[in-house]
């Protein structure tokens, strides 16, 4: 365990997360919980013709879970749903660019799991 | 005063190093470390005495049975229970409380009530919530700002339908030592059963079931220097005698026929299947270790540590802790958070919560300095909701901790803001 997980890239996304906030009338949304630590995350999406037009999230969490949500939402914004469906856990972990210990992997993947859930809940 | 340096020599694990640093173990509230005397007792049991208990006619089985039953007597004496039959060996506090919720719960009817508190561990909430489906109502005593129970509420909430009052002796988050003797009186004047969750008290202070006059006391071996997988349910014998069994199987029966079965006497009625003999023997060794130090001395040592730690935390700008400041009513546990400081650049995601740094990040960064604390909701989510926070970090102390450990802990806290560049 080193300081490496708190790299500038992670800290920047933690302190000033991208896409933080709510969308009033989303057509897909989901709330994810990390029962171990009480973290929660809510993701809101506007999807138009299979394209993620807008995505935002709110919630409370550690540096890793918030940074991961910030980075993930940036990754998928403007992309089509197939891109999200094909997105693997490792794609997000690679994008974070840090080595995550087993104890923190749930923090890193909370946004990923919540987004996948939201996509499966799409309203017309 | 206790000699921490001498005690530490009995705990082999404390010699381990992490990141080249001496390990500072501040998570004894979750589980304690084990002295060599306990490890040796378990090893000795398997090397010399292992056989199934209460069955064999041969000498070895009698020796194993004798060790198991002597362990029961030793535990019984430790909490000043008058009869060894009052001691039921279970896996842990959780199992003891589930046993009670199942057996006492069976007799409850639609509209009956249970009183507990918002500061309970999930293990003293969830088993009782199982009874909601048969119409049992659960009422929760709230806390004051200082983390003590609102004692007046007991008299307000209690009714003739209140069948059970179940309360933790010491909160695993706030550290609050509840006035259980007083609560027991309220329960008994009302004819209600009184249950005490002793998971965080029995390891840390003298606990005398005769003096408290509780009907039941539940605690875990692994939090008091003993092995995992052994716990204790103390119950007044006359009540245990009247109760139905919990699990069915071998050991707990008197006789079994295809038409039905009758039950063994207490405590075996509640110990279905081959018991954890190694665990009981290890727990007995742990009890001997604690008796040698003296539980008054354990308590005094923790008071001394918690006073020093609270003083250092107060001096450390920007940390808030939960629970009473007065060490007379506080055990050796401190849950804390970094406070939200005005004008400081902080994460939007936590700003609303009034917390500046998430406990997970705190624990991760402390771990770099080999300082081991817990972070999360500590299996007390209703209490987190009540405090309006998602989680806390938590440092807790035991006989092998000293002022140096607390200094290392405070130094490591200094590092947290640096690593996060706040």
């Amino acid at each position: 365990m080193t300081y490496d997980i708190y790299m500038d890239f992670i800290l920047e996304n933690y302190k000033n997360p991208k896409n933080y906030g709510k969308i009033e009338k989303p057509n897909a949304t989901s709330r994810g919980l990390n029962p171990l630590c009480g973290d929660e995350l809510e993701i809101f999406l506007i999807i138009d013709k299979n394209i993620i037009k807008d995505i935002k999230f709110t919630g409370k969490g550690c540096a890793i879970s918030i940074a991961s949500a910030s980075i993930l939402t940036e990754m998928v914004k403007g992309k089509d749903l197939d891109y999200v469906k094909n997105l693997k856990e490792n794609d997000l972990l690679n994008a974070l660019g840090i080595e995550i210990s087993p104890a923190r992997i749930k923090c890193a993947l909370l946004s990923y799991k919540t987004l996948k859930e939201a996509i499966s809940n799409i309203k017309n | 005063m206790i000699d921490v340096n001498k005690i530490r020599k009995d705990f082999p694990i404390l010699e381990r190093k992490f990141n080249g640093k001496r390990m500072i173990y501040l998570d004894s509230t979750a589980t304690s470390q084990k002295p060599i005397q306990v490890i040796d007792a378990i090893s000795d049991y398997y090397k010399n005495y292992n056989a199934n208990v209460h069955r064999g006619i041969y000498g070895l089985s009698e020796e194993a049975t004798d060790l198991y039953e002597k362990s029961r007597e030793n535990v019984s004496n430790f909490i000043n229970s008058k009869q060894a039959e009052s001691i039921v060996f279970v896996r842990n506090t959780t199992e003891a409380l589930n046993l009670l919720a199942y057996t006492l719960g069976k007799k409850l009817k639609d509209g009956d009530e249970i009183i507990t508190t918002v500061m309970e561990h999930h293990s003293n909430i969830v088993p009782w919530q199982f009874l909601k489906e048969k119409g049992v109502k659960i009422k929760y005593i709230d806390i004051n700002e200082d983390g003590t129970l609102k004692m007046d509420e007991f008299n307000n909430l209690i009714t003739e339908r209140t069948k059970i009052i179940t309360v933790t002796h010491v909160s695993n988050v706030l550290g609050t030592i509840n006035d259980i003797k007083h609560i027991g009186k309220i329960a008994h004047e009302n004819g209600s059963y009184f249950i005490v969750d002793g998971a965080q008290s029995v390891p840390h202070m003298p606990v005398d079931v005769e003096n408290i006059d509780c009907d039941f006391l539940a605690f875990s071996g692994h939090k008091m220097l003993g092995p995992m997988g052994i716990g204790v349910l103390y119950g007044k014998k006359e009540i245990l005698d009247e109760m139905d069994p919990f699990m069915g199987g071998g050991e707990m029966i008197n006789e079994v026929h295809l038409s039905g079965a009758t039950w063994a006497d207490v405590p075996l009625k509640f110990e279905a299947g081959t018991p954890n003999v190694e665990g009981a023997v290890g727990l007995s060794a742990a009890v001997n270790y604690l008796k040698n130090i003296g539980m008054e001395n354990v308590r005094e040592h923790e008071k001394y540590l918690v006073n020093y730690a609270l003083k250092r935390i107060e001096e450390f700008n920007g940390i808030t802790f939960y629970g009473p400041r007065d060490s007379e009513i506080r055990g050796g546990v401190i849950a804390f958070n970094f406070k939200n400081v005005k004008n400081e650049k902080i994460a939007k995601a936590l700003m609303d919560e009034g917390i500046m740094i998430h406990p997970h990040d705190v624990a991760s960064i402390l771990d770099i300095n080999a300082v081991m604390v817990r972070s999360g909701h500590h299996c007390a989510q209703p209490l987190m909701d009540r405090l309006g926070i998602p989680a806390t970090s938590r440092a807790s102390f035991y006989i092998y901790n000293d002022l140096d450990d607390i200094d290392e802990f405070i130094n490591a806290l200094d590092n947290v803001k640096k690593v996060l560049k706040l």
Side-chain angles (χ1 to χ4, degrees), chain B residues 337-352:
Chain B
N337 269 316
F338 278 79
K339 265 189 283 196
N340 187 348
V341 181
K342 247 189 183 174
N343 299 327
E344 217 152 344
K345 194 179 179 190
I346 61 162
K348 284 179 191 171
L350 283 172
M351 209 151 38
D352 306 339

Side-chain angles (χ1 to χ4, degrees), chain A residues 1-3 5-6 8 11-12 14-17 20 35-39 59-64 66 104 107, chain B residues 19 345-350 353 356-358 360-361 364-365 367-368 376-377 381 390-391 415 419-422:
Chain A
M1 176 84 210
T2 62
Y3 296 97
I5 64 166
Y6 298 105
D8 284 344
L11 292 182
E12 199 38 53
Y14 166 51
K15 292 178 198 171
N16 295 302
Y20 190 83
L36 285 176
C37 50
D39 285 357
K60 48 197 181 188
C62 62
I64 306 302
I66 297 298
R104 300 298 294 277
C107 313
Chain B
N19 296 332
K345 194 179 179 190
I346 61 162
K348 284 179 191 171
L350 283 172
E353 303 292 331
M356 191 179 164
I357 303 169
H358 194 279
H360 263 180
D361 295 317
S364 271
I365 297 167
D367 189 40
I368 299 164
H377 53 56
Q381 268 187 310
N415 205 21
V419 170
L420 294 178
K421 299 187 177 152
L422 286 165

Side-chain angles (χ1 to χ4, degrees), chain A residues 28-32 41-44 113-115 117-119 121:
Chain A
T29 179
S30 179
R31 184 167 163 261
L41 204 70
E42 211 166 348
I43 289 185
F44 310 88
K113 296 222 159 87
T114 312
L115 175 64
E117 179 73 25
I119 295 294
N121 292 338

Side-chain angles (χ1 to χ4, degrees), chain B residues 115 154-155 158-160 162-167 179-196 212-215:
Chain B
I115 295 180
F154 280 100
N155 286 321
I158 204 164
T159 73
E160 59 183 11
T162 305
K163 303 297 178 191
I164 296 169
I165 297 184
T166 179
V167 175
D179 185 355
I180 49 169
K181 204 172 164 178
H182 183 66
I183 300 168
K185 270 195 194 124
I186 296 171
H188 287 150
E189 276 166 19
N190 195 58
S192 318
Y193 287 126
F194 180 49
I195 302 169
V196 175
I212 297 165
D213 191 29
C214 54
D215 297 310

